[in-house]
Amino acid sequence: MTEASTMHDFPEKSGSASNQTARVLADRAAGEAYVASVCFKHGPPRLIGVELEFTVHHADDPARPLDPDVLATALGAHTPRTLRPDSPATPLPAGSPVSLEPGCQVEISSPPQATLRDLDAVVSADLRHLRTLLARHGLELGETGIDAHRAPRRVLRTPRYAAMERRFAAIGPGGLTMMCSTAGLQVCVDAGETDQHAFRWAAAHAMGPPLLALFANSRVHAGRDTGFASARWLAVHDTEAVRSRTERVAGEPAAEWAARLMDTPLLVLPRAGRPWDAPEGLTFADWIDGRGAAALLPKPTSADLDYHLTTMFTPVRPQGYLEIRYLDAQPPGAWLPPVALVSALLARPATVDKVLDLCAPVAGRWTTAARYGLADPGLAAVAAALADLGCAELGVTGLAAGSITEISESVQGRVSRSRSEA
């Protein structure tokens, strides 16, 4: 959702047109072929990355509106250009770029790493540095997936976010909440070999509801108990169904995703000197074919299609790798257990097969997971089984024995607490 893509570029696996010469798309077939070629890169699963979002608060009064000038002063040379256009936007010392969401939620995106041990070292170092910078100016990171203290308010004044706010306002409050109050934990894993794409894609979706329930962390919003385990995920789904609904996973993922992108209306249309509001109902396929309002626009390029991809808010988004987006943000010191569990559950084809079998009874129960979390018996049972399976597989992630023990205790502790509460 960031203004300019700050997702990691997996080496030799990036689908970003910033690394290519953008070309004009002649027809729908060319657009679909481009999407299929860049969104599902093939190769053995070997890299993992993470994107951590956090709300930011004044430590002396978390409910006070965030002062963006104080945030920019705290971040210094790391300030994103969406807040200070003249900033050098230097990555954090271990290499993680900093970006901001519309409400000035802070996001750090790790460089991809070959092992979880390496990822832990990089992210922990950059997170420590970030927290130190903020603390010097009286700021601190939030610990939940939605702003527990403040109502949504857009702080970044960019054409993209202004157009998004106008678009979502006509639908309901979920869009502004999603933009300005939520924080997620996104796990990025390789898509895998071509013959494994469909299975890894399906497994990443299938384990979504039970893992969303297991790590739900956004019940209180703006000082009010919403009654929902993950108010963040419900806000995402209250934006626009066409770009947030879960993907059908019955067929070949690259072709299905390419067709979906073509048939999804534009959310924003970047134009110099003009508002970025997209013509109502104009799909990317319409734009390529010059239908309706597109007759007055230049033909789209592969770079335009890459940008269109950033306006999709699906639970799993293919970017050459798989960006798993359904987990709530965790407290700053607790991000590793969910990342390790996801990594372990997708580490080997045999484990992927087991994930698909275990999760079949709760397929598609996203809303139930967001509303009730592990209070739902079916989701709790599957989450417990996934926890057992994933913790047993942690040895293949490259983590040290001590870290494996701590992660297992953390994950199993969540399961045990849910059982006792039930």
Side-chain angles (χ1 to χ4, degrees):
M1 195 170 63
T2 47
E3 180 79 16
S5 176
T6 57
M7 325 305 178
H8 359 315
D9 286 341
F10 281 56
E12 291 92 46
K13 291 175 176 283
S14 171
S16 171
S18 63
N19 297 326
Q20 309 172 27
T21 300
R23 64 178 186 272
V24 172
L25 300 170
D27 52 28
R28 178 181 178 127
E32 290 191 359
Y34 176 75
V35 171
S37 70
V38 301
C39 284
F40 288 87
K41 299 293 184 180
H42 62 86
R46 61 187 181 88
L47 296 175
I48 184 166
V50 69
E51 299 172 20
L52 302 179
E53 298 173 351
F54 301 96
T55 57
V56 182
H57 304 269
H58 295 281
D60 62 349
D61 181 7
R64 176 154 52 103
L66 180 64
D67 186 331
D69 291 330
V70 175
L71 178 60
T73 300
L75 293 176
H78 308 299
T79 302
R81 295 190 180 101
T82 50
L83 182 57
R84 292 290 179 266
D86 60 348
S87 171
T90 306
L92 295 167
S96 304
V98 177
S99 58
L100 296 173
E101 298 296 337
C104 270
Q105 307 97 302
V106 168
E107 176 179 343
I108 65 171
S109 303
S110 74
Q113 303 296 321
T115 69
L116 265 178
R117 184 188 299 205
D118 294 336
L119 184 69
D120 183 19
V122 166
V123 174
S124 295
D126 279 345
L127 198 50
R128 281 195 302 271
H129 186 76
L130 174 64
R131 296 177 78 182
T132 298
L133 293 178
L134 296 178
R136 290 172 181 167
H137 294 270
L139 300 176
E140 63 183 8
L141 298 177
E143 299 198 338
T144 62
I146 200 165
D147 195 322
H149 306 283
R150 301 170 304 214
R153 178 180 71 98
R154 184 164 63 89
V155 179
L156 288 188
R157 302 298 167 185
T158 67
R160 170 177 169 131
Y161 293 151
M164 288 174 61
E165 182 175 1
R166 288 189 291 269
R167 172 74 158 261
F168 293 149
I171 300 171
L176 186 64
T177 300
M178 183 270 290
M179 290 172 61
C180 303
S181 290
T182 63
L185 186 161
Q186 300 168 14
V187 187
C188 299
V189 297
D190 282 312
E193 299 285 12
T194 303
D195 62 354
Q196 289 295 312
H197 281 176
F199 300 103
R200 290 172 65 78
W201 178 247
H205 284 83
M207 63 188 185
L211 292 188
L212 170 61
L214 181 60
F215 294 103
N217 186 37
S218 54
R219 183 180 176 108
V220 176
H221 176 41
R224 182 180 67 87
D225 186 343
T226 66
F228 302 132
S230 179
R232 179 195 72 90
W233 189 247
L234 293 175
V236 172
H237 271 264
D238 284 342
T239 54
E240 238 181 3
V242 70
R243 67 188 70 257
S244 64
R245 65 174 168 79
T246 55
E247 182 62 43
R248 187 170 66 89
V249 293
E252 201 285 311
E256 291 186 351
W257 181 254
R260 177 174 179 175
L261 274 186
M262 291 298 107
D263 293 330
T264 298
L266 302 181
L267 177 61
V268 293
L269 183 60
R271 289 177 284 190
R274 296 180 59 188
W276 286 19
D277 302 77
E280 184 68 28
L282 183 72
T283 69
F284 204 92
D286 292 333
W287 189 6
I288 291 178
D289 292 338
R291 291 191 291 265
L296 302 176
L297 300 173
K299 291 275 280 189
T301 68
S302 54
D304 294 315
L305 190 45
D306 283 321
Y307 194 84
H308 183 51
L309 173 63
T310 71
T311 69
M312 302 296 287
F313 309 132
T314 49
V316 184
R317 189 167 67 183
Q319 305 249 70
Y321 52 91
L322 303 183
E323 183 185 64
I324 296 171
R325 301 168 52 85
Y326 42 73
L327 297 174
D328 282 353
Q330 305 296 303
W335 66 269
L336 185 56
V339 176
L341 190 62
V342 168
S343 177
L345 290 170
L346 294 174
R348 299 188 301 129
T351 312
V352 168
D353 291 342
K354 292 176 183 177
V355 167
L356 291 170
D357 289 340
L358 285 175
C359 295
V362 294
R365 298 186 66 188
W366 296 95
T367 301
T368 301
R371 286 181 175 274
Y372 305 111
L374 295 182
D376 179 85
L379 285 165
V382 174
L386 282 181
D388 290 341
L389 175 62
C391 288
E393 291 287 319
L394 286 173
V396 304
T397 63
L399 288 168
S403 294
I404 290 174
T405 299
E406 292 177 4
I407 290 167
S408 296
E409 290 176 350
S410 172
V411 171
Q412 296 293 357
R414 283 179 171 270
V415 173
S416 297
R417 284 193 296 275
S418 73
R419 285 172 171 161
S420 63
E421 290 168 1

